[in-house]
């Protein structure tokens, strides 16, 4: 389906209106009039883009405001913004590569965090034996906070089983949990407290719940300083300063939209009939309905969801997304269908 405007809760296709339960705009920020006003105001101040290195002699205060907000929001010692979540992940891998003996990845880790030399964290039903041996190694563990086809934050307790001879760095991608999980949507970074982890690093796209084009890296101040000295960072332009300043000024809106999302999820949980054919987590705004024929039923009822071939897992991704902008009437319609049909 081709559309010619932002796909918020309603999309127009060939003159017909459909309810949209897709995308990744969990907080509905991109279509929020107040947030759009912030962006427009800052475009008038900063222009639409600034194609210069962050390390040049001219320093834009917009980035300071964004990174101070994000550090407080995520509860990280320091953050740095970049032009995309993909670049954030690649910069982190590039910086860690000389200081890592072995990379390990959890199942369904996003493509952005894939290292060509990474080993699977699990083999069959257990940990990779390399994690349990007595060799002294610097290892980096790569994972999504909420992997594709999952609706709960990943359980990292298995880290306690890793050999004490391993110096552990954890890199976690919070593209689909930042703005959604945690207090006010802070994500899960601040809750990761395992003694065996020497350093934890968070990367995320800001183009999902946060509603702007860009990416963020969060960690300790030393690591963030090292990233900002990285040749790829120096030779890259930053994210739009107008978006960065709008992000820094949007704290109250993020909080109110997160509350709306939580209320919507609570409302859904109160009405949705629990079925074995799909699982709903009242703390997370996604349902993965692997049900033959469901898309045809939804489309016949003027509802569109997300559907495409996904690299992770090499299977079709079919998901229903709930956002802060959906109304009770919107929710009632899709809940009625999910409850009524015998999938």
């Amino acid at each position: 389906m081709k559309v010619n405007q932002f796909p918020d809760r309603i999309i127009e296709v060939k003159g017909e209106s459909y309810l949209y339960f897709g995308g990744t705009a969990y907080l509905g920020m991109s279509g929020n009039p107040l947030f759009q006003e912030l962006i427009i105001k800052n475009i008038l101040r900063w222009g639409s883009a600034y194609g210069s290195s962050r390390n040049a002699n001219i320093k834009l205060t917009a980035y300071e405001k964004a990174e101070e907000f994000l550090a407080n929001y995520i509860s990280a010692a320091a953050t740095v913004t970049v032009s995309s979540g993909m670049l954030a992940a690649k910069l982190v891998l590039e910086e860690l590569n000389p200081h890592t003996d072995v990379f390990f990845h959890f199942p369904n880790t996003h493509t952005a965090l894939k290292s060509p030399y990474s080993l699977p964290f699990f083999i069959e039903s257990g940990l990779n034996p390399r994690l349990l041996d007595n060799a002294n190694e610097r290892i980096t563990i790569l994972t999504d906070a909420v992997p594709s086809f999952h609706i709960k934050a990943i359980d990292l307790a298995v880290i306690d089983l890793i050999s004490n001879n391993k110096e552990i760095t954890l890199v976690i991608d919070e593209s689909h949990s930042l703005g959604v999980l945690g207090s006010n949507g802070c994500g899960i970074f601040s809750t990761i407290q395992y003694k065996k982890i020497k350093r934890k690093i968070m990367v995320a796209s800001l183009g999902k719940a946060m509603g702007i084009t860009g990416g963020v890296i969060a960690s300790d101040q030393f690591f963030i300083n090292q990233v900002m000295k990285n040749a790829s960072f120096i030779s890259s332009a930053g994210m739009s300063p107008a978006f960065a300043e709008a992000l820094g000024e949007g704290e109250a809106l993020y909080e109110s939209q997160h509350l709306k999302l939580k209320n919507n999820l609570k409302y859904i949980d109160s009405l949705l009939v629990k079925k074995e054919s799909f699982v709903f987590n009242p703390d997370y705004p996604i349902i993965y309905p692997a049900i033959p024929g469901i898309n045809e039923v939804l489309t016949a009822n003027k509802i569109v969801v997300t559907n495409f071939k996904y690299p992770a897992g090499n299977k079709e991704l079919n998901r229903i997304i709930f956002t802060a902008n959906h109304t009770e009437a919107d929710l009632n319609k899709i809940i009625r269908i999910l409850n009524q049909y015998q999938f």
Side-chain angles (χ1 to χ4, degrees), residues 13 31 41 81 99 110 116 134 138 185 203 208 249 322 343:
V13 180
K41 180 193 75 171
T81 57
H99 311 288
H110 192 278
N134 292 322
R138 300 165 299 175
V203 299
K208 316 293 186 186
E249 293 177 343
F322 303 106
F343 295 114

Side-chain angles (χ1 to χ4, degrees), residues 93 103-106 109 113 115 118 140-144 171:
L93 291 179
F103 286 95
F104 293 91
H105 60 271
F106 270 64
T109 298
L113 273 185
S115 165
S118 182
T140 295
I141 300 170
L142 310 171
T143 184
D144 288 10
V171 183

Side-chain angles (χ1 to χ4, degrees), residues 163-189:
S163 167
N164 291 328
N165 295 72
K166 312 301 180 185
E167 181 182 291
I168 301 172
T169 295
L170 173 70
V171 183
I172 188 159
D173 186 336
E174 291 224 52
S175 295
H176 294 276
S177 54
L178 182 64
V180 177
L181 297 180
S183 176
N184 291 331
C186 68
I188 70 169
F189 179 80

Side-chain angles (χ1 to χ4, degrees), residues 54 63 67 70-71 78-82 88 91 202 204 206 215-219 223-225 227-228 233 239:
R54 290 281 303 276
Y63 298 118
E67 288 155 7
L70 286 168
T79 66
V80 63
T81 57
V82 293
L91 280 170
M202 185 268 262
L206 298 172
V216 61
I217 303 168
S219 190
F223 183 77
I224 295 301
N225 289 345
V227 168
M228 296 182 74
F233 179 86
M239 64 182 287

